[in-house]
Amino acid sequence: MKIIVVKDSEQGGKEACKIFKEVLADNGTVFGLATGSTPLTTYRNLVKDDIDFSNAISVNLDEYVGIKPDNPQSYQYFMNEYLFKYKPFKHSYLPQGDAPDSKKEVERYDKVIAENPIDLQLLGIGRNGHIGFNEPGSDFNLKTHKVALSPSTIKANARFFKNEEDVPRYAYSMGIGSIMKSKKIILEAFGAQKAHAVAAMIEGPVSADCPASVLQKHNDVIVIVDEEAAAELKKR
């Protein structure tokens, strides 16, 4: 892992934007994208930049189950608002939250990933070490799956909803096995609340107790963290 410690999330977004540009210039065409507050500065920097994704493809990590694409809390809506309406891709794939058949939707999305090998995958990390919605205990070989969200993840995501009771209890998520096939991975983490998970990911044992720790086994991972998120690291 290459670790880049930055002053704040804004600087982190600038660093990630540089990597996106490098991958695109090196003929990378498929970008795995994440949602939530962590990648917002990255998307803001991509929007300001002259980068052109019109011949590229995006494949998102996850989506809530039981939510329509035009729902303001859906990840489809999030991506449209913060990136796609400014920087459209040739094609953008997300799990379909309101798909009538979960099994068929999982199969469909696995096919999307298989047909579009990811050149660069952007990740955040949950306080419990999850990546995507792969919660602690997740099998490292999993492909796309429907997952029950942990209480800590529901609580963390409640800030985006009017009430915690409104947070969906299930999501579709790209599996760890699929994430690990990405050629290059950026993982971003900002804030003191992520420090323990970051230390466990980088310096702890590779264990399903911290799903992100599997990234130690990938040969091209760049971790972008601010000083607060790096606080518990023994080595930098």
Side-chain angles (χ1 to χ4, degrees):
M1 288 183 180
K2 178 183 179 182
I3 303 166
I4 300 174
V5 181
V6 295
K7 180 180 70 173
D8 54 26
S9 62
E10 187 57 41
Q11 188 183 350
K14 289 177 182 176
E15 290 295 328
C17 182
K18 288 179 194 173
I19 299 165
F20 269 80
K21 294 192 77 171
E22 288 166 5
V23 170
L24 195 63
D26 197 30
N27 297 316
T29 57
V30 183
F31 295 84
L33 302 178
T35 52
S37 55
T38 299
L40 281 177
T41 58
T42 297
Y43 295 153
R44 279 204 294 269
N45 278 279
L46 289 171
V47 168
K48 287 188 293 185
D49 198 88
D50 61 0
I51 194 167
D52 181 6
F53 289 121
S54 60
N55 288 312
I57 289 169
S58 69
V59 182
N60 261 71
L61 273 172
D62 40 32
E63 178 61 282
Y64 288 124
V65 170
I67 205 163
K68 293 183 181 297
D70 60 356
N71 186 310
Q73 302 303 338
S74 76
Y75 289 161
Q76 174 75 66
Y77 191 95
F78 176 101
M79 294 306 306
N80 289 342
E81 284 298 298
Y82 292 106
L83 185 63
F84 295 160
K85 72 181 182 183
Y86 305 104
K87 295 287 180 178
F89 287 72
K90 182 168 67 175
H91 199 98
S92 291
Y93 294 101
L94 288 94
Q96 186 182 336
D98 61 346
D101 187 319
S102 293
K103 185 174 182 291
K104 286 182 180 177
E105 179 57 16
V106 164
E107 291 171 353
R108 179 193 75 84
Y109 211 64
D110 273 339
K111 187 178 179 187
V112 165
I113 296 166
E115 292 175 350
N116 298 279
I118 295 169
D119 294 299
L120 176 64
Q121 176 66 58
L122 179 63
L123 298 173
I125 184 171
R127 297 182 193 189
N128 62 4
H130 74 242
I131 47 176
F133 276 128
N134 295 285
E135 301 282 8
S138 295
D139 188 321
F140 286 162
N141 297 309
L142 273 179
K143 294 183 178 180
T144 306
H145 56 293
K146 180 180 175 180
V147 58
L149 304 185
S150 70
S152 66
T153 298
I154 290 168
K155 189 174 181 63
N157 288 355
R159 67 188 186 278
F160 301 116
F161 291 80
K162 192 172 182 180
N163 302 295
E164 188 172 317
E165 294 73 30
D166 297 332
V167 183
R169 268 40 185 176
Y170 291 89
Y172 293 118
S173 180
M174 190 185 295
I176 292 174
S178 302
I179 291 169
M180 289 294 284
K181 288 181 180 177
S182 306
K183 291 177 188 171
K184 181 189 285 287
I185 294 172
I186 302 172
L187 185 140
E188 298 178 323
F190 308 119
Q193 74 278 9
K194 299 293 179 74
H196 183 72
V198 166
M201 169 183 67
I202 296 172
E203 297 177 346
V206 176
S207 166
D209 292 339
C210 176
S213 65
V214 72
L215 298 178
Q216 294 177 33
K217 294 180 173 290
H218 194 281
N219 63 7
D220 193 354
V221 178
I222 300 171
V223 179
I224 302 175
V225 287
D226 64 5
E227 290 286 350
E228 288 185 333
E232 293 187 28
L233 291 173
K234 295 181 176 66
K235 299 176 183 177
R236 295 196 189 178

